[in-house]
Amino acid sequence: MKTILQIFLWIVSIVLGYMIYNSVNGPIEFKKIKQERFAKVISNLKDIRNSQEAYKTVNGRYAKDFNALVSFVDTGYYTITQQRDSSYLEYDKNFGIDMLKEVKIIDTLGRVSVKDSLFKKDDRFKTMMNVPYAAKGEKFEMKSSILEKSGYKAPVFEAKVSKDVVLHDQPKTLLARENTQINVDEVNGNVIKVGSLTEVSTSGNWPSIYDKRNDQ
């Protein structure tokens, strides 16, 4: 009985030790995994934003879906223009003399491929809609619209993904806590997103640490 009791106590000690270790190390490991995955997700969202901004520059609005956006990046062109001031003399009937008229002239210098401008020789734009680390091949949810504010109509777009999709295999308690984050150093809320359908903004909801990380 004494031997059995000793074995039982050893097992209990090991289990308790593991639980204590896991309670301390679990959040540390979770944060490491979270930051690594979020960095990849945010990198894709930045590609989506850059592509949407290019689409708007050429078309005056944002793309409604990824098929249109990818096709545009793959085959679209920017028109390069140059604006210069000029002037000429024109007879003015009221004054009976030639008057100097100033005008602005826009010259078309050429075209540049959107793909080369944004991605050079990288074809990652063809898969930018795929959510990194998603277990079931989920894609970012993207919508575009026209927002009316103070009598002004502005094109807007939003691309987002739930944190549950990115951290699907992580402890539920830590994931639940992550979904309620409100901190300037964290991605707040339960989604990672760029743009907005309710505000004229192309900003993301991530802190600057992810911008610095991706720039390195």
Side-chain angles (χ1 to χ4, degrees), residues 56 62 147-149 152-157 195-203:
K56 177 176 174 288
Y62 293 113
L147 183 65
E148 292 191 32
K149 278 203 169 185
Y152 175 73
K153 294 183 178 180
V156 292
F157 87 96
S196 173
L197 296 178
T198 58
E199 299 290 338
V200 182
S201 171
T202 58
S203 298

Side-chain angles (χ1 to χ4, degrees), residues 13 67 135 166 209:
S13 298
N67 287 336
V166 182
I209 182 176

